[in-house]
PDB file of all heavy atoms in Angstrom:
ATOM      1  N   ILE D 204     -16.676  -7.445  71.514  1.00 97.00           N
ATOM      2  CA  ILE D 204     -15.851  -6.344  72.005  1.00 97.00           C
ATOM      3  C   ILE D 204     -16.732  -5.182  72.427  1.00 97.00           C
ATOM      4  O   ILE D 204     -16.515  -4.572  73.488  1.00 97.00           O
ATOM      5  CB  ILE D 204     -14.848  -5.904  70.920  1.00 97.00           C
ATOM      6  CG1 ILE D 204     -13.860  -7.027  70.621  1.00 97.00           C
ATOM      7  CG2 ILE D 204     -14.118  -4.630  71.334  1.00 97.00           C
ATOM      8  CD1 ILE D 204     -12.921  -6.749  69.467  1.00 97.00           C
ATOM      9  N   VAL D 205     -17.745  -4.883  71.628  1.00 96.00           N
ATOM     10  CA  VAL D 205     -18.662  -3.780  71.952  1.00 96.00           C
ATOM     11  C   VAL D 205     -19.350  -4.033  73.285  1.00 96.00           C
ATOM     12  O   VAL D 205     -19.397  -3.157  74.165  1.00 96.00           O
ATOM     13  CB  VAL D 205     -19.700  -3.604  70.822  1.00 96.00           C
ATOM     14  CG1 VAL D 205     -20.753  -2.572  71.220  1.00 96.00           C
ATOM     15  CG2 VAL D 205     -19.020  -3.202  69.523  1.00 96.00           C
ATOM     16  N   ASN D 206     -19.880  -5.226  73.474  1.00 96.00           N
ATOM     17  CA  ASN D 206     -20.577  -5.542  74.720  1.00 96.00           C
ATOM     18  C   ASN D 206     -19.621  -5.584  75.906  1.00 96.00           C
ATOM     19  O   ASN D 206     -19.982  -5.169  77.014  1.00 96.00           O
ATOM     20  CB  ASN D 206     -21.316  -6.878  74.588  1.00 96.00           C
ATOM     21  CG  ASN D 206     -22.536  -6.773  73.690  1.00 96.00           C
ATOM     22  OD1 ASN D 206     -23.071  -5.696  73.486  1.00 96.00           O
ATOM     23  ND2 ASN D 206     -22.955  -7.884  73.124  1.00 96.00           N
ATOM     24  N   GLY D 207     -18.421  -6.098  75.703  1.00 97.00           N
ATOM     25  CA  GLY D 207     -17.437  -6.103  76.774  1.00 97.00           C
ATOM     26  C   GLY D 207     -17.048  -4.701  77.188  1.00 97.00           C
ATOM     27  O   GLY D 207     -16.904  -4.405  78.383  1.00 97.00           O
ATOM     28  N   ALA D 208     -16.870  -3.816  76.209  1.00 97.00           N
ATOM     29  CA  ALA D 208     -16.518  -2.428  76.511  1.00 97.00           C
ATOM     30  C   ALA D 208     -17.648  -1.727  77.262  1.00 97.00           C
ATOM     31  O   ALA D 208     -17.404  -1.006  78.239  1.00 97.00           O
ATOM     32  CB  ALA D 208     -16.189  -1.688  75.217  1.00 97.00           C
ATOM     33  N   ARG D 209     -18.870  -1.949  76.821  1.00 96.00           N
ATOM     34  CA  ARG D 209     -20.008  -1.325  77.503  1.00 96.00           C
ATOM     35  C   ARG D 209     -20.149  -1.826  78.942  1.00 96.00           C
ATOM     36  O   ARG D 209     -20.490  -1.066  79.841  1.00 96.00           O
ATOM     37  CB  ARG D 209     -21.291  -1.606  76.726  1.00 96.00           C
ATOM     38  CG  ARG D 209     -21.390  -0.850  75.410  1.00 96.00           C
ATOM     39  CD  ARG D 209     -22.602  -1.299  74.611  1.00 96.00           C
ATOM     40  NE  ARG D 209     -22.743  -0.547  73.368  1.00 96.00           N
ATOM     41  CZ  ARG D 209     -23.606  -0.850  72.401  1.00 96.00           C
ATOM     42  NH1 ARG D 209     -24.405  -1.914  72.534  1.00 96.00           N
ATOM     43  NH2 ARG D 209     -23.670  -0.113  71.317  1.00 96.00           N
ATOM     44  N   GLY D 210     -19.887  -3.117  79.140  1.00 96.00           N
ATOM     45  CA  GLY D 210     -20.023  -3.688  80.471  1.00 96.00           C
ATOM     46  C   GLY D 210     -18.919  -3.294  81.424  1.00 96.00           C
ATOM     47  O   GLY D 210     -19.032  -3.518  82.641  1.00 96.00           O
ATOM     48  N   SER D 211     -17.842  -2.718  80.908  1.00 96.00           N
ATOM     49  CA  SER D 211     -16.711  -2.372  81.765  1.00 96.00           C
ATOM     50  C   SER D 211     -16.956  -1.118  82.598  1.00 96.00           C
ATOM     51  O   SER D 211     -16.338  -0.944  83.643  1.00 96.00           O
ATOM     52  CB  SER D 211     -15.455  -2.174  80.907  1.00 96.00           C
ATOM     53  OG  SER D 211     -15.578  -0.994  80.119  1.00 96.00           O
ATOM     54  N   GLY D 212     -17.833  -0.234  82.123  1.00 95.00           N
ATOM     55  CA  GLY D 212     -18.040   1.036  82.804  1.00 95.00           C
ATOM     56  C   GLY D 212     -17.047   2.098  82.395  1.00 95.00           C
ATOM     57  O   GLY D 212     -17.137   3.253  82.828  1.00 95.00           O
ATOM     58  N   ALA D 213     -16.076   1.730  81.550  1.00 97.00           N
ATOM     59  CA  ALA D 213     -15.085   2.700  81.085  1.00 97.00           C
ATOM     60  C   ALA D 213     -15.694   3.609  80.023  1.00 97.00           C
ATOM     61  O   ALA D 213     -16.717   3.285  79.400  1.00 97.00           O
ATOM     62  CB  ALA D 213     -13.866   1.973  80.514  1.00 97.00           C
ATOM     63  N   THR D 214     -15.065   4.745  79.814  1.00 97.00           N
ATOM     64  CA  THR D 214     -15.466   5.635  78.726  1.00 97.00           C
ATOM     65  C   THR D 214     -15.027   5.019  77.399  1.00 97.00           C
ATOM     66  O   THR D 214     -13.916   4.488  77.297  1.00 97.00           O
ATOM     67  CB  THR D 214     -14.818   7.014  78.902  1.00 97.00           C
ATOM     68  OG1 THR D 214     -15.235   7.568  80.159  1.00 97.00           O
ATOM     69  CG2 THR D 214     -15.229   7.967  77.786  1.00 97.00           C
ATOM     70  N   ILE D 215     -15.896   5.100  76.409  1.00 97.00           N
ATOM     71  CA  ILE D 215     -15.612   4.473  75.109  1.00 97.00           C
ATOM     72  C   ILE D 215     -15.549   5.553  74.032  1.00 97.00           C
ATOM     73  O   ILE D 215     -16.448   6.394  73.926  1.00 97.00           O
ATOM     74  CB  ILE D 215     -16.690   3.441  74.743  1.00 97.00           C
ATOM     75  CG1 ILE D 215     -16.823   2.375  75.841  1.00 97.00           C
ATOM     76  CG2 ILE D 215     -16.358   2.785  73.406  1.00 97.00           C
ATOM     77  CD1 ILE D 215     -18.015   1.476  75.665  1.00 97.00           C
ATOM     78  N   ARG D 216     -14.509   5.517  73.261  1.00 97.00           N
ATOM     79  CA  ARG D 216     -14.390   6.372  72.083  1.00 97.00           C
ATOM     80  C   ARG D 216     -14.077   5.482  70.879  1.00 97.00           C
ATOM     81  O   ARG D 216     -13.423   4.453  71.020  1.00 97.00           O
ATOM     82  CB  ARG D 216     -13.297   7.424  72.265  1.00 97.00           C
ATOM     83  CG  ARG D 216     -13.598   8.444  73.350  1.00 97.00           C
ATOM     84  CD  ARG D 216     -14.768   9.331  72.966  1.00 97.00           C
ATOM     85  NE  ARG D 216     -15.059  10.323  73.998  1.00 97.00           N
ATOM     86  CZ  ARG D 216     -15.956  10.156  74.957  1.00 97.00           C
ATOM     87  NH1 ARG D 216     -16.656   9.018  75.023  1.00 97.00           N
ATOM     88  NH2 ARG D 216     -16.162  11.104  75.851  1.00 97.00           N
TER      89      ARG D 216
END
Side-chain angles (χ1 to χ4, degrees):
I204 295 174
V205 173
N206 288 338
R209 289 173 178 171
S211 69
T214 300
I215 304 170
R216 294 293 180 266

